[in-house]
Amino acid sequence: MQLYNKLSAKERAELIDKAGKNRLTLSFYQYAKIGNPQIFRDHLFITWNSLDVLGRIYVAHEGINGQLSLPADRFNEFKTHLDTISFLKDIRLNVAIEQDNKSFLKLKVKVRNKIVADGLNDDTFDVTNKGVHVGAEAFNELIEDEKTVLVDMRNHYESEIGHFKNAITPDVDTFRESLDIIEDDLKPHKEDKNLVMYCTGGIRCEKASAYFKHKGFKNVYQLEGGIIEYTRQVKEENLENKFLGQNFVFDDRRAERISDDVIANCHQCGNPFDVHTNCANAACHLLFIQCDSCKENMENCCSTECMEINRLPYEAQKELRKGQGNSNDIFKKGRSESLKFK
Ligand SMILES: [Zn+2]
Ligand SMILES: [Zn+2]
């Protein structure tokens, strides 16, 4: 029985083109007690592989977090399968706003300690005592309230290209860091302010809201389903959109455009630009913002050093990398001394 992905990304991309079918990109998460994540993982892999699902899914004792794509015409079968799993029955699926048939090219279902790397010791607080969930309409009202402090729970490279008007966007590389910064900043207002938070799909706020309540914040709210669900509701209910720019997403699309505002800058020339790229030097792979003309001048690299390495023949590059460890992660933090405008 096949339990792991066998095709390369290139082979998969060719198959998708050949099939010529539209694919849906979607995400979901659920905190639930899973007794044996490995068995559950294998079950998901076998079933979803047969439905031509691709994506990145994390399974842990605390639940499941999935970002995936599947052929649109198999959606009902997929949904039927989800409904056979008690804690996934009728779960909200966040369907991507911009579709791309190649958002994912492999099916990876991984067992992890946690479904989000939150750095928290969950035994120290009650994770089920979470904040009040609000939909788009209530959220829009709440964030206009002068008693409200709106906080972006994502990392710096996410909020940089898009965030809600007037949101606090901590300059952090990890979720754990932002918790401390926010707690510190808002210490005097634990009782008199509304702490309203949001993230991409809601999963991070689920923990953060429980954490802040544990820390003594009295009025804690979270945006239900995150930016993805907010955008859907805004469209469907014809509400005012208060999100500026792009929503960073964790698949090959990198981001979804929510409003036409460009709130970020090219990290090399400083011109307005809000599309991330990865440094072409495989040993670097830094995630950063690079406009089209800098991309051309810099050969898609983050620095002249990387440019020089990237020009070497593949074998020579490999030789250089020996013993360096692989930093081939497309979400490597976008920070580097060589980027002038970061
Ligand atoms: Zn530029
Ligand atoms: Zn580089």
Side-chain angles (χ1 to χ4, degrees):
M1 200 173 302
Q2 189 193 332
L3 281 172
Y4 294 93
N5 187 76
K6 282 182 181 157
L7 293 176
S8 72
K10 189 164 167 274
E11 289 167 322
R12 179 67 71 181
E14 283 165 10
L15 275 184
I16 290 173
D17 282 339
K18 224 169 112 193
K21 283 187 195 167
N22 278 334
R23 297 182 67 91
L24 280 178
T25 301
L26 53 89
S27 61
F28 66 92
Y29 70 86
Q30 180 70 290
Y31 286 101
K33 289 234 175 328
I34 298 174
N36 191 328
Q38 187 61 46
I39 290 179
F40 183 57
R41 178 263 163 219
D42 290 349
H43 166 70
L44 293 182
F45 187 91
I46 292 163
T47 315
W48 292 356
N49 194 40
S50 75
L51 294 175
D52 202 8
V53 170
L54 299 171
R56 195 185 312 106
I57 294 101
Y58 297 130
V59 177
H61 283 294
E62 69 173 7
I64 176 169
N65 179 15
Q67 284 145 55
L68 51 89
S69 86
L70 78 166
D73 61 5
R74 306 209 71 172
F75 178 77
N76 287 339
E77 286 170 84
F78 175 74
K79 182 76 179 86
T80 306
H81 175 245
L82 286 185
D83 286 343
T84 63
I85 301 162
S86 59
F87 57 87
L88 295 181
K89 193 170 167 27
D90 297 325
I91 189 157
R92 185 193 55 244
L93 299 170
N94 282 327
V95 178
I97 295 143
E98 291 174 356
Q99 292 296 337
D100 173 350
N101 287 345
K102 295 182 185 130
S103 55
F104 291 101
L105 293 171
K106 291 191 176 179
L107 175 59
K108 290 183 184 168
V109 189
K110 292 186 172 173
V111 173
R112 284 273 171 98
N113 275 337
K114 295 218 174 181
I115 53 175
V116 197
D118 55 24
L120 289 170
N121 181 358
D122 294 350
D123 297 339
T124 58
F125 67 105
D126 180 1
V127 291
T128 65
N129 181 26
K130 43 196 185 191
V132 179
H133 286 225
V134 288
E137 192 173 6
F139 180 83
N140 275 353
E141 263 173 50
L142 200 54
I143 64 177
E144 295 301 331
D145 188 333
E146 54 189 35
K147 288 208 313 275
T148 290
V149 182
L150 179 61
V151 181
D152 191 317
M153 292 309 300
R154 302 170 303 153
N155 298 331
H156 68 96
Y157 54 91
E158 299 172 83
S159 55
E160 185 177 11
I161 59 166
H163 55 75
F164 280 101
K165 280 174 211 167
N166 304 326
I168 296 172
T169 55
D171 184 26
V172 294
D173 291 319
T174 67
F175 175 77
R176 187 69 195 83
E177 277 176 78
S178 63
L179 293 176
D180 291 339
I181 290 175
I182 293 160
E183 198 205 339
D184 229 44
D185 281 1
L186 301 181
K187 218 165 233 159
H189 298 293
K190 286 187 175 178
E191 298 192 6
D192 65 348
K193 295 264 188 197
N194 303 319
L195 176 56
V196 182
M197 60 188 94
Y198 68 92
C199 60
T200 316
I203 187 170
R204 285 177 269 190
C205 295
E206 207 77 15
K207 277 273 177 77
S209 67
Y211 181 81
F212 287 124
K213 282 177 83 171
H214 165 74
K215 289 286 180 179
F217 287 87
K218 291 284 178 277
N219 313 302
V220 180
Y221 300 85
Q222 66 197 89
L223 177 58
E224 163 100 31
I227 300 157
I228 302 174
E229 173 65 10
Y230 173 87
T231 309
R232 195 193 65 76
Q233 288 182 15
V234 160
K235 280 193 182 150
E236 194 176 281
E237 298 166 29
N238 214 358
L239 306 170
E240 186 192 345
N241 169 42
K242 300 194 180 198
F243 189 91
L244 304 171
Q246 301 226 66
N247 180 25
F248 189 97
V249 293
F250 293 86
D251 61 56
D252 292 347
R253 295 170 304 142
R254 307 282 168 81
E256 298 183 315
R257 183 157 295 288
I258 312 291
S259 87
D260 292 334
D261 310 87
V262 175
I263 63 167
N265 302 87
C266 170
H267 288 163
Q268 287 171 327
C269 71
N271 282 337
F273 203 71
D274 63 359
V275 179
H276 281 99
T277 190
N278 287 103
C279 176
N281 172 15
C284 171
H285 223 62
L286 183 79
L287 181 76
F288 71 112
I289 300 175
Q290 185 176 45
C291 74
D292 294 335
S293 71
C294 288
K295 183 167 267 174
E296 212 185 306
N297 295 339
M298 297 294 294
E299 299 167 16
N300 202 3
C301 288
C302 75
S303 65
T304 45
E305 290 76 23
C306 282
M307 225 158 89
E308 278 159 24
I309 295 171
N310 195 44
R311 282 177 186 163
L312 298 172
Y314 178 75
E315 284 306 317
Q317 289 190 38
K318 233 172 115 185
E319 198 57 35
L320 272 179
R321 279 210 295 278
K322 249 182 200 161
Q324 299 274 315
N326 191 2
S327 64
N328 202 15
D329 175 353
I330 73 158
F331 299 118
K332 188 175 164 182
K333 325 298 184 222
R335 293 191 201 274
S336 162
E337 293 290 312
S338 55
L339 299 173
K340 266 191 237 152
F341 294 88
K342 176 68 189 174

